[in-house]
Amino acid sequence: MSDMPPSQARSRTKVKPMTSKGTGESDTGGVRADVWVWSVRLAKTRSAAATACRAGQVRVNGQRVKPAHTVRAGDEVRLRQGDRERIVVVRHVLRKRVGAPVAVEAYVDNSPPPPPREAVAPAGIRDRGTGRPTKRDRRDMERLRGLAPKPHE
């Protein structure tokens, strides 16, 4: 052991810088898939991102990935959100969650546009306080949603 005091000995240890510019951007290498999806705001929480990975809703370069899979710059990430699929190409690897303007710069969005609101089937809207729907009302609502067969005439 050296004859230096412990405080000086600790200060000589080498610390590897994790980020550049304080934005959470990684200098080299990659980051976990769930962390990247969360940090660029494709998922609200990190646990939601990990759950999506485990459920097979996240694909990197066409392969289903686990939450610990490494994502690098240039990878194509596909995320299934409900009935919509987000397709993004990684520009920058982020380790920390960042603001929306910075997050948008971290990937190229190749997703198809969402369907217009008019294309969504109208749901049966009932007046408030009218009570429970009758059997006829339920059948009409199912027909509007496209769930029920047409009535026999």
Side-chain angles (χ1 to χ4, degrees):
M1 208 155 200
S2 68
D3 55 336
M4 284 187 199
S7 61
Q8 288 179 350
R10 275 191 224 112
S11 65
R12 292 186 349 161
T13 59
K14 196 170 188 178
V15 177
K16 183 180 173 186
M18 186 177 101
T19 61
S20 63
K21 303 176 207 161
T23 61
E25 199 173 301
S26 176
D27 292 333
T28 58
V31 69
R32 289 174 55 112
D34 61 340
V35 171
W36 189 83
V37 168
W38 165 75
S39 65
V40 296
R41 298 176 169 263
L42 294 176
K44 286 187 179 185
T45 63
R46 177 150 174 223
S47 63
T51 302
C53 290
R54 277 188 235 105
Q57 296 172 349
V58 177
R59 294 177 179 266
V60 176
N61 298 326
Q63 300 292 319
R64 290 172 67 170
V65 296
K66 293 182 180 181
H69 182 82
T70 303
V71 174
R72 293 182 172 83
D75 286 348
E76 180 188 69
V77 177
R78 292 175 176 254
L79 174 66
R80 193 100 182 115
Q81 294 176 326
D83 58 347
R84 185 172 179 221
E85 185 174 35
R86 299 287 306 268
I87 304 168
V88 296
V89 177
V90 180
R91 270 192 191 165
H92 307 291
V93 178
L94 301 177
R95 294 184 192 279
K96 295 182 178 179
R97 191 164 171 98
V98 293
V102 178
V104 171
E105 294 175 5
Y107 60 85
V108 179
D109 196 353
N110 295 332
S111 305
R117 294 227 178 224
E118 296 83 39
V120 177
I125 299 174
R126 295 175 45 83
D127 293 330
R128 196 169 166 86
T130 57
R132 187 173 172 178
T134 63
K135 189 171 189 175
R136 178 183 227 169
D137 292 339
R138 285 196 310 271
R139 286 182 178 165
D140 290 341
M141 287 187 287
E142 287 173 357
R143 197 173 307 115
L144 275 175
R145 291 185 190 129
L147 300 175
K150 302 278 186 206
H152 299 284
E153 305 261 342

